[in-house]
Amino acid sequence: MQDVFSYIEQNRETYIGWLQDICKQPSVAAQNRGMKETADMVERFVREIGGEAEQLETSGYPVVFGQFKGESERILSFYNHYDVQPEDPLDLWHSPPFGAEIRDGYMYARGVADNKGNLMARLAAVHACLQVRGKLPVGVKFIVEGEEEIGSVHLEEFVEKYADRIGADGCVWEFGYKNADGRPQISLGVKGMCYVELICRGANTDLHSANAAIIENPAWRLLWALNTLKGPDERIRIEGFYDKVASLSDDDQLMLEQMIYNEEDTLEKLGLKSFLLDLKGIPLKEKLIFQPTCTVCGIVSGYIGQGSKTVLPAEARVKLDFRLVPDQDPHEILALLRKHLDEHGFSDIEIQSFTLEHPARTPLNNPLTRAVVNTSKQIYGMEPTIMPMSPGTGPMYILCQHLGIPAVSVGVGHFASNNHAPNENISIDDYIQGIKHIAAILEEFAKEV
Amino acid sequence: MQDVFSYIEQNRETYIGWLQDICKQPSVAAQNRGMKETADMVERFVREIGGEAEQLETSGYPVVFGQFKGESERILSFYNHYDVQPEDPLDLWHSPPFGAEIRDGYMYARGVADNKGNLMARLAAVHACLQVRGKLPVGVKFIVEGEEEIGSVHLEEFVEKYADRIGADGCVWEFGYKNADGRPQISLGVKGMCYVELICRGANTDLHSANAAIIENPAWRLLWALNTLKGPDERIRIEGFYDKVASLSDDDQLMLEQMIYNEEDTLEKLGLKSFLLDLKGIPLKEKLIFQPTCTVCGIVSGYIGQGSKTVLPAEARVKLDFRLVPDQDPHEILALLRKHLDEHGFSDIEIQSFTLEHPARTPLNNPLTRAVVNTSKQIYGMEPTIMPMSPGTGPMYILCQHLGIPAVSVGVGHFASNNHAPNENISIDDYIQGIKHIAAILEEFAKEV
């Protein structure tokens, strides 16, 4: 592979430029900003490096679908997304979120880690192989959706409509990170999600807060409702919530024990003294990987500007995400939440549901997992850490597990890439190393039996 | 008084124009918008109707001080404020907040009810008396501050610095409202206030919410802390909070029984089925007037825009107002709150304090109260309802009670004036009637022994 690796090094600046170009193009699905421009740009990239490309329509943003022939029948697909999270809070960014500024070896941009860095590394790897060898060892498919950050709301529709196009022998999933000590993480699944907004309403207008003595405050009601969902012990109090949580297999236990999670570096980087509930070691890793969550992602009511305003709010809203583990079902969790609120006297609180995604897992022992693990050792010079499941979420169930396609996550982010947060970044060296890793995986996957 | 009343009627359009002029001038103290322009405008009004006027400096916004000589030694002061609340949420206004649009007999503007309508009615009354009679029956002082909506933060300093200027035999307080049935309310005191912002911090940056399995969420912590302050029974759980709450006197009980509060109209207007805790009748009135409150005026954390964003917030903030009743002390309440949070494991939650005001009361039996009550019957053709204390707040303690000056609240607002809320308004007829009422009070107060 040294010929391909050398080519990648020689074209380092070109590949960095590709990444800057796409990062400078906003693509915020939640706000419908720059979505068409970005889909067009991805389609153009696939074409320019020698693939066939088209935009497959859905009821939402189109999926960019790319295809490259290979020497063998085996097909490797790449699942990525061209949409990004909203960039606020803006004032915490040290450079413009869509500036793609490079400082001290890191590129900063909304989406550079999640998910444009991985998308461009994979396109660059295919480009390098074709330039050097004139052909690819396996067939390649790119499935690049535009709604991952809003819960892949039309991906199920896409899978049904284009089932004949997306078949593959393995899928390299969209994300991947290095630990604080530089060790690559490979993960073999994702948590599911039930994302909801709860809305509690009071009087038909905001009122002077003197009225709060006798008029119900929807902010207090929402707080009390939330308090019935989870207390400081972190146990989710919805009846039946844990009923379908699968117990850990011996393999899971072993993977947890072997999984490397650098507690000290993580805490230092985040300015924290301890993890939640003072967890450490295996119980910490088990909670991260195998436990579902209930998270306040956003809450708002009343006056939130500078200084004081004495107002009794008319409305209060909270955004909650439940991350789910096998075999929880997001639709069932949504129904349990409704039932819980009703039974606790909060039937007036409205639920709007957003993302509903199943958890998914890939077995440890299959050709793709082996190809990714073996090449990791070559590229990074150390054993990767294998996570039995990522604490993050994605449509792996409908796109892979459901179709019997093994999916493995590996990529160019690092533990402090600030995905979904201000100053999102990746290391330029990680990006170049990630391009080489994908090139190596293409070759290795052709050989694995 | 018919001569003065006729003059007021004839100059109706002039006085409406005065009010529109001042309402079109924004004066948001919390945001330092238009404060100097508005103070200058008030000073100019006092001069133009024949008084002496000056701006008395404080460390904050100046107090506009106006003086008019009278036939008797007796002095009546008017306490008003030229600042207004912020106008957001903007999208709920049906006309621009600083447009002072008149629709169907009502003028709509931020500050028209709180407090520019009352200020202009009082200036207009003095103007009318002087135009018709050439002199005032009693001496008049205007004390018009610019920080009422941010808790009169420099008024204590002002009172100490200008103690010799503000002496009076009675003070007509800034606000006053009609009930839903058109009956004027007269109130004889105000609640106190302790307004704070609580800030809870987590990691040093927002994070991808996948991390919420093992990293503490400051939004949840703040919710749990708030839950220790008050539960659905509305009882405030801070130890010692109620210790200094005075019990009701026989006079208080009598006033409560006689006080008219139109429950049905209020509920209908606000689109509600019932009051807090299903209260009705005297217990409802007692809670409104004599019970302290703890109100979430604003809460914010994480992503609050459209759609979903899976973020673990770095920070959560809540704005709380505690309305206090005699003899609670806002400084003591602040200390009790700190102690409560510390003792419940929330010593990391920061408290920023804003308004700290004592409650205040005026006796039922004194010349000013009698003058206001007696003239009310003449002007409005019905008995006013007397509230032993207003559920609202103001610096009555430092400006009046503390100096032995009785203070009575009466004014041109109505029960649905939407103070501090979108579409703040007063009735034009109420405004004109309010001008007449002040003119009558000036004459009656000269006679009362």
PDB file of all heavy atoms in Angstrom, chain A residues 21-48:
ATOM      1  N   ASP A  21     -13.449  23.226   1.416  1.00  0.00           N
ATOM      2  CA  ASP A  21     -14.520  23.637   0.496  1.00  0.00           C
ATOM      3  C   ASP A  21     -15.894  23.203   1.004  1.00  0.00           C
ATOM      4  O   ASP A  21     -16.839  23.990   1.026  1.00  0.00           O
ATOM      5  CB  ASP A  21     -14.292  23.010  -0.897  1.00  0.00           C
ATOM      6  CG  ASP A  21     -13.147  23.681  -1.636  1.00  0.00           C
ATOM      7  OD1 ASP A  21     -12.679  24.743  -1.165  1.00  0.00           O
ATOM      8  OD2 ASP A  21     -12.697  23.137  -2.663  1.00  0.00           O
ATOM      9  N   ILE A  22     -16.001  21.948   1.432  1.00  0.00           N
ATOM     10  CA  ILE A  22     -17.334  21.465   1.833  1.00  0.00           C
ATOM     11  C   ILE A  22     -17.734  21.997   3.211  1.00  0.00           C
ATOM     12  O   ILE A  22     -18.915  22.227   3.478  1.00  0.00           O
ATOM     13  CB  ILE A  22     -17.448  19.924   1.729  1.00  0.00           C
ATOM     14  CG1 ILE A  22     -18.923  19.520   1.705  1.00  0.00           C
ATOM     15  CG2 ILE A  22     -16.694  19.222   2.847  1.00  0.00           C
ATOM     16  CD1 ILE A  22     -19.177  18.129   1.214  1.00  0.00           C
ATOM     17  N   CYS A  23     -16.729  22.263   4.068  1.00  0.00           N
ATOM     18  CA  CYS A  23     -17.052  22.813   5.394  1.00  0.00           C
ATOM     19  C   CYS A  23     -17.496  24.273   5.305  1.00  0.00           C
ATOM     20  O   CYS A  23     -18.223  24.759   6.173  1.00  0.00           O
ATOM     21  CB  CYS A  23     -15.858  22.701   6.340  1.00  0.00           C
ATOM     22  SG  CYS A  23     -15.604  21.015   6.922  1.00  0.00           S
ATOM     23  N   LYS A  24     -17.032  24.979   4.267  1.00  0.00           N
ATOM     24  CA  LYS A  24     -17.441  26.378   4.106  1.00  0.00           C
ATOM     25  C   LYS A  24     -18.880  26.487   3.602  1.00  0.00           C
ATOM     26  O   LYS A  24     -19.453  27.580   3.589  1.00  0.00           O
ATOM     27  CB  LYS A  24     -16.485  27.099   3.148  1.00  0.00           C
ATOM     28  CG  LYS A  24     -15.139  27.400   3.796  1.00  0.00           C
ATOM     29  CD  LYS A  24     -14.174  28.071   2.838  1.00  0.00           C
ATOM     30  CE  LYS A  24     -12.838  28.307   3.541  1.00  0.00           C
ATOM     31  NZ  LYS A  24     -11.805  28.795   2.586  1.00  0.00           N
ATOM     32  N   GLN A  25     -19.415  25.377   3.182  1.00  0.00           N
ATOM     33  CA  GLN A  25     -20.793  25.349   2.680  1.00  0.00           C
ATOM     34  C   GLN A  25     -21.730  24.922   3.814  1.00  0.00           C
ATOM     35  O   GLN A  25     -21.770  23.752   4.182  1.00  0.00           O
ATOM     36  CB  GLN A  25     -20.884  24.354   1.516  1.00  0.00           C
ATOM     37  CG  GLN A  25     -22.295  24.073   1.047  1.00  0.00           C
ATOM     38  CD  GLN A  25     -23.028  25.321   0.588  1.00  0.00           C
ATOM     39  OE1 GLN A  25     -22.586  26.029  -0.297  1.00  0.00           O
ATOM     40  NE2 GLN A  25     -24.161  25.618   1.246  1.00  0.00           N
ATOM     41  N   PRO A  26     -22.495  25.867   4.403  1.00  0.00           N
ATOM     42  CA  PRO A  26     -23.427  25.469   5.476  1.00  0.00           C
ATOM     43  C   PRO A  26     -24.449  24.452   4.958  1.00  0.00           C
ATOM     44  O   PRO A  26     -24.816  24.503   3.777  1.00  0.00           O
ATOM     45  CB  PRO A  26     -24.124  26.773   5.864  1.00  0.00           C
ATOM     46  CG  PRO A  26     -23.232  27.873   5.358  1.00  0.00           C
ATOM     47  CD  PRO A  26     -22.559  27.317   4.131  1.00  0.00           C
ATOM     48  N   SER A  27     -24.892  23.570   5.831  1.00  0.00           N
ATOM     49  CA  SER A  27     -25.903  22.569   5.449  1.00  0.00           C
ATOM     50  C   SER A  27     -26.639  22.126   6.707  1.00  0.00           C
ATOM     51  O   SER A  27     -26.479  21.009   7.174  1.00  0.00           O
ATOM     52  CB  SER A  27     -25.228  21.374   4.761  1.00  0.00           C
ATOM     53  OG  SER A  27     -24.158  20.872   5.538  1.00  0.00           O
ATOM     54  N   VAL A  28     -27.431  23.061   7.234  1.00  0.00           N
ATOM     55  CA  VAL A  28     -28.145  22.821   8.498  1.00  0.00           C
ATOM     56  C   VAL A  28     -29.551  22.315   8.181  1.00  0.00           C
ATOM     57  O   VAL A  28     -30.438  23.095   7.831  1.00  0.00           O
ATOM     58  CB  VAL A  28     -28.213  24.104   9.346  1.00  0.00           C
ATOM     59  CG1 VAL A  28     -28.856  23.806  10.702  1.00  0.00           C
ATOM     60  CG2 VAL A  28     -26.820  24.707   9.544  1.00  0.00           C
ATOM     61  N   ALA A  29     -29.730  21.022   8.297  1.00  0.00           N
ATOM     62  CA  ALA A  29     -31.025  20.419   7.937  1.00  0.00           C
ATOM     63  C   ALA A  29     -32.154  20.987   8.789  1.00  0.00           C
ATOM     64  O   ALA A  29     -33.234  21.273   8.277  1.00  0.00           O
ATOM     65  CB  ALA A  29     -30.946  18.901   8.080  1.00  0.00           C
ATOM     66  N   ALA A  30     -31.904  21.176  10.088  1.00  0.00           N
ATOM     67  CA  ALA A  30     -32.953  21.655  10.996  1.00  0.00           C
ATOM     68  C   ALA A  30     -33.487  23.011  10.554  1.00  0.00           C
ATOM     69  O   ALA A  30     -34.603  23.390  10.902  1.00  0.00           O
ATOM     70  CB  ALA A  30     -32.433  21.742  12.432  1.00  0.00           C
ATOM     71  N   GLN A  31     -32.674  23.754   9.820  1.00  0.00           N
ATOM     72  CA  GLN A  31     -33.074  25.109   9.413  1.00  0.00           C
ATOM     73  C   GLN A  31     -33.149  25.251   7.889  1.00  0.00           C
ATOM     74  O   GLN A  31     -33.279  26.365   7.381  1.00  0.00           O
ATOM     75  CB  GLN A  31     -32.074  26.124   9.990  1.00  0.00           C
ATOM     76  CG  GLN A  31     -32.000  26.080  11.511  1.00  0.00           C
ATOM     77  CD  GLN A  31     -30.739  26.728  12.063  1.00  0.00           C
ATOM     78  OE1 GLN A  31     -29.822  27.062  11.315  1.00  0.00           O
ATOM     79  NE2 GLN A  31     -30.708  26.903  13.381  1.00  0.00           N
ATOM     80  N   ASN A  32     -33.029  24.150   7.185  1.00  0.00           N
ATOM     81  CA  ASN A  32     -33.062  24.155   5.712  1.00  0.00           C
ATOM     82  C   ASN A  32     -32.113  25.202   5.121  1.00  0.00           C
ATOM     83  O   ASN A  32     -32.491  26.003   4.264  1.00  0.00           O
ATOM     84  CB  ASN A  32     -34.495  24.387   5.214  1.00  0.00           C
ATOM     85  CG  ASN A  32     -34.628  24.076   3.725  1.00  0.00           C
ATOM     86  OD1 ASN A  32     -33.710  23.507   3.115  1.00  0.00           O
ATOM     87  ND2 ASN A  32     -35.746  24.459   3.141  1.00  0.00           N
ATOM     88  N   ARG A  33     -30.886  25.184   5.571  1.00  0.00           N
ATOM     89  CA  ARG A  33     -29.883  26.147   5.069  1.00  0.00           C
ATOM     90  C   ARG A  33     -28.836  25.416   4.245  1.00  0.00           C
ATOM     91  O   ARG A  33     -28.109  24.579   4.774  1.00  0.00           O
ATOM     92  CB  ARG A  33     -29.168  26.831   6.234  1.00  0.00           C
ATOM     93  CG  ARG A  33     -29.972  27.935   6.889  1.00  0.00           C
ATOM     94  CD  ARG A  33     -29.399  28.265   8.237  1.00  0.00           C
ATOM     95  NE  ARG A  33     -28.018  28.698   8.144  1.00  0.00           N
ATOM     96  CZ  ARG A  33     -27.159  28.641   9.173  1.00  0.00           C
ATOM     97  NH1 ARG A  33     -27.531  28.152  10.340  1.00  0.00           N
ATOM     98  NH2 ARG A  33     -25.926  29.071   9.023  1.00  0.00           N
ATOM     99  N   GLY A  34     -28.758  25.735   2.955  1.00  0.00           N
ATOM    100  CA  GLY A  34     -27.673  25.250   2.094  1.00  0.00           C
ATOM    101  C   GLY A  34     -27.750  23.773   1.756  1.00  0.00           C
ATOM    102  O   GLY A  34     -26.754  23.173   1.343  1.00  0.00           O
ATOM    103  N   MET A  35     -28.918  23.177   1.892  1.00  0.00           N
ATOM    104  CA  MET A  35     -29.016  21.726   1.709  1.00  0.00           C
ATOM    105  C   MET A  35     -28.813  21.325   0.241  1.00  0.00           C
ATOM    106  O   MET A  35     -28.061  20.392  -0.061  1.00  0.00           O
ATOM    107  CB  MET A  35     -30.360  21.230   2.243  1.00  0.00           C
ATOM    108  CG  MET A  35     -30.528  21.430   3.747  1.00  0.00           C
ATOM    109  SD  MET A  35     -29.180  20.697   4.718  1.00  0.00           S
ATOM    110  CE  MET A  35     -29.508  18.966   4.437  1.00  0.00           C
ATOM    111  N   LYS A  36     -29.457  22.038  -0.675  1.00  0.00           N
ATOM    112  CA  LYS A  36     -29.328  21.669  -2.093  1.00  0.00           C
ATOM    113  C   LYS A  36     -27.890  21.876  -2.577  1.00  0.00           C
ATOM    114  O   LYS A  36     -27.318  21.017  -3.261  1.00  0.00           O
ATOM    115  CB  LYS A  36     -30.311  22.495  -2.935  1.00  0.00           C
ATOM    116  CG  LYS A  36     -30.188  22.159  -4.415  1.00  0.00           C
ATOM    117  CD  LYS A  36     -31.304  22.612  -5.274  1.00  0.00           C
ATOM    118  CE  LYS A  36     -31.125  22.212  -6.740  1.00  0.00           C
ATOM    119  NZ  LYS A  36     -29.979  21.361  -7.062  1.00  0.00           N
ATOM    120  N   GLU A  37     -27.302  23.020  -2.198  1.00  0.00           N
ATOM    121  CA  GLU A  37     -25.935  23.329  -2.611  1.00  0.00           C
ATOM    122  C   GLU A  37     -24.985  22.218  -2.163  1.00  0.00           C
ATOM    123  O   GLU A  37     -24.064  21.828  -2.899  1.00  0.00           O
ATOM    124  CB  GLU A  37     -25.474  24.662  -2.006  1.00  0.00           C
ATOM    125  CG  GLU A  37     -26.209  25.902  -2.520  1.00  0.00           C
ATOM    126  CD  GLU A  37     -27.560  26.164  -1.860  1.00  0.00           C
ATOM    127  OE1 GLU A  37     -28.071  25.269  -1.143  1.00  0.00           O
ATOM    128  OE2 GLU A  37     -28.116  27.250  -2.072  1.00  0.00           O
ATOM    129  N   THR A  38     -25.198  21.726  -0.952  1.00  0.00           N
ATOM    130  CA  THR A  38     -24.276  20.733  -0.421  1.00  0.00           C
ATOM    131  C   THR A  38     -24.478  19.377  -1.089  1.00  0.00           C
ATOM    132  O   THR A  38     -23.497  18.683  -1.420  1.00  0.00           O
ATOM    133  CB  THR A  38     -24.424  20.626   1.113  1.00  0.00           C
ATOM    134  OG1 THR A  38     -24.488  21.955   1.644  1.00  0.00           O
ATOM    135  CG2 THR A  38     -23.237  19.912   1.722  1.00  0.00           C
ATOM    136  N   ALA A  39     -25.738  19.002  -1.314  1.00  0.00           N
ATOM    137  CA  ALA A  39     -26.006  17.737  -2.017  1.00  0.00           C
ATOM    138  C   ALA A  39     -25.367  17.784  -3.407  1.00  0.00           C
ATOM    139  O   ALA A  39     -24.716  16.810  -3.838  1.00  0.00           O
ATOM    140  CB  ALA A  39     -27.514  17.502  -2.114  1.00  0.00           C
ATOM    141  N   ASP A  40     -25.512  18.905  -4.088  1.00  0.00           N
ATOM    142  CA  ASP A  40     -24.912  19.058  -5.426  1.00  0.00           C
ATOM    143  C   ASP A  40     -23.386  18.927  -5.354  1.00  0.00           C
ATOM    144  O   ASP A  40     -22.759  18.312  -6.226  1.00  0.00           O
ATOM    145  CB  ASP A  40     -25.270  20.428  -6.024  1.00  0.00           C
ATOM    146  CG  ASP A  40     -26.745  20.517  -6.409  1.00  0.00           C
ATOM    147  OD1 ASP A  40     -27.429  19.466  -6.386  1.00  0.00           O
ATOM    148  OD2 ASP A  40     -27.209  21.639  -6.704  1.00  0.00           O
ATOM    149  N   MET A  41     -22.823  19.512  -4.326  1.00  0.00           N
ATOM    150  CA  MET A  41     -21.368  19.479  -4.171  1.00  0.00           C
ATOM    151  C   MET A  41     -20.879  18.045  -3.971  1.00  0.00           C
ATOM    152  O   MET A  41     -19.886  17.618  -4.577  1.00  0.00           O
ATOM    153  CB  MET A  41     -20.969  20.360  -2.976  1.00  0.00           C
ATOM    154  CG  MET A  41     -19.482  20.595  -2.839  1.00  0.00           C
ATOM    155  SD  MET A  41     -19.103  21.577  -1.347  1.00  0.00           S
ATOM    156  CE  MET A  41     -19.177  23.213  -2.007  1.00  0.00           C
ATOM    157  N   VAL A  42     -21.605  17.264  -3.155  1.00  0.00           N
ATOM    158  CA  VAL A  42     -21.205  15.872  -2.910  1.00  0.00           C
ATOM    159  C   VAL A  42     -21.327  15.064  -4.213  1.00  0.00           C
ATOM    160  O   VAL A  42     -20.422  14.297  -4.579  1.00  0.00           O
ATOM    161  CB  VAL A  42     -22.073  15.232  -1.797  1.00  0.00           C
ATOM    162  CG1 VAL A  42     -21.748  13.747  -1.646  1.00  0.00           C
ATOM    163  CG2 VAL A  42     -21.846  15.963  -0.466  1.00  0.00           C
ATOM    164  N   GLU A  43     -22.425  15.269  -4.918  1.00  0.00           N
ATOM    165  CA  GLU A  43     -22.629  14.565  -6.191  1.00  0.00           C
ATOM    166  C   GLU A  43     -21.459  14.861  -7.148  1.00  0.00           C
ATOM    167  O   GLU A  43     -20.920  13.958  -7.791  1.00  0.00           O
ATOM    168  CB  GLU A  43     -23.961  15.012  -6.820  1.00  0.00           C
ATOM    169  CG  GLU A  43     -24.309  14.228  -8.070  1.00  0.00           C
ATOM    170  CD  GLU A  43     -25.547  14.777  -8.795  1.00  0.00           C
ATOM    171  OE1 GLU A  43     -26.229  15.665  -8.258  1.00  0.00           O
ATOM    172  OE2 GLU A  43     -25.799  14.297  -9.914  1.00  0.00           O
ATOM    173  N   ARG A  44     -21.049  16.143  -7.205  1.00  0.00           N
ATOM    174  CA  ARG A  44     -19.961  16.574  -8.084  1.00  0.00           C
ATOM    175  C   ARG A  44     -18.645  15.899  -7.681  1.00  0.00           C
ATOM    176  O   ARG A  44     -17.891  15.427  -8.533  1.00  0.00           O
ATOM    177  CB  ARG A  44     -19.831  18.096  -8.000  1.00  0.00           C
ATOM    178  CG  ARG A  44     -19.380  18.752  -9.274  1.00  0.00           C
ATOM    179  CD  ARG A  44     -19.757  20.237  -9.306  1.00  0.00           C
ATOM    180  NE  ARG A  44     -19.408  20.939  -8.083  1.00  0.00           N
ATOM    181  CZ  ARG A  44     -20.265  21.655  -7.359  1.00  0.00           C
ATOM    182  NH1 ARG A  44     -21.525  21.769  -7.723  1.00  0.00           N
ATOM    183  NH2 ARG A  44     -19.860  22.269  -6.261  1.00  0.00           N
ATOM    184  N   PHE A  45     -18.387  15.839  -6.375  1.00  0.00           N
ATOM    185  CA  PHE A  45     -17.159  15.192  -5.899  1.00  0.00           C
ATOM    186  C   PHE A  45     -17.103  13.731  -6.369  1.00  0.00           C
ATOM    187  O   PHE A  45     -16.081  13.259  -6.873  1.00  0.00           O
ATOM    188  CB  PHE A  45     -17.058  15.238  -4.363  1.00  0.00           C
ATOM    189  CG  PHE A  45     -16.292  16.416  -3.824  1.00  0.00           C
ATOM    190  CD1 PHE A  45     -16.914  17.381  -3.037  1.00  0.00           C
ATOM    191  CD2 PHE A  45     -14.921  16.555  -4.078  1.00  0.00           C
ATOM    192  CE1 PHE A  45     -16.202  18.459  -2.535  1.00  0.00           C
ATOM    193  CE2 PHE A  45     -14.205  17.633  -3.561  1.00  0.00           C
ATOM    194  CZ  PHE A  45     -14.849  18.589  -2.794  1.00  0.00           C
ATOM    195  N   VAL A  46     -18.203  12.999  -6.198  1.00  0.00           N
ATOM    196  CA  VAL A  46     -18.223  11.583  -6.592  1.00  0.00           C
ATOM    197  C   VAL A  46     -17.905  11.448  -8.084  1.00  0.00           C
ATOM    198  O   VAL A  46     -17.076  10.630  -8.501  1.00  0.00           O
ATOM    199  CB  VAL A  46     -19.584  10.928  -6.266  1.00  0.00           C
ATOM    200  CG1 VAL A  46     -19.632   9.484  -6.810  1.00  0.00           C
ATOM    201  CG2 VAL A  46     -19.843  10.921  -4.753  1.00  0.00           C
ATOM    202  N   ARG A  47     -18.542  12.288  -8.883  1.00  0.00           N
ATOM    203  CA  ARG A  47     -18.318  12.255 -10.339  1.00  0.00           C
ATOM    204  C   ARG A  47     -16.864  12.556 -10.684  1.00  0.00           C
ATOM    205  O   ARG A  47     -16.263  11.893 -11.511  1.00  0.00           O
ATOM    206  CB  ARG A  47     -19.191  13.299 -11.033  1.00  0.00           C
ATOM    207  CG  ARG A  47     -20.636  12.922 -11.109  1.00  0.00           C
ATOM    208  CD  ARG A  47     -21.158  12.973 -12.558  1.00  0.00           C
ATOM    209  NE  ARG A  47     -22.553  12.558 -12.520  1.00  0.00           N
ATOM    210  CZ  ARG A  47     -23.548  13.374 -12.150  1.00  0.00           C
ATOM    211  NH1 ARG A  47     -23.311  14.641 -11.884  1.00  0.00           N
ATOM    212  NH2 ARG A  47     -24.780  12.898 -12.094  1.00  0.00           N
ATOM    213  N   GLU A  48     -16.352  13.619 -10.043  1.00  0.00           N
ATOM    214  CA  GLU A  48     -15.008  14.082 -10.404  1.00  0.00           C
ATOM    215  C   GLU A  48     -13.932  13.060 -10.070  1.00  0.00           C
ATOM    216  O   GLU A  48     -12.875  13.046 -10.698  1.00  0.00           O
ATOM    217  CB  GLU A  48     -14.710  15.435  -9.754  1.00  0.00           C
ATOM    218  CG  GLU A  48     -15.441  16.559 -10.501  1.00  0.00           C
ATOM    219  CD  GLU A  48     -15.339  17.916  -9.823  1.00  0.00           C
ATOM    220  OE1 GLU A  48     -14.624  18.009  -8.802  1.00  0.00           O
ATOM    221  OE2 GLU A  48     -15.976  18.863 -10.315  1.00  0.00           O
TER     222      GLU A  48
END
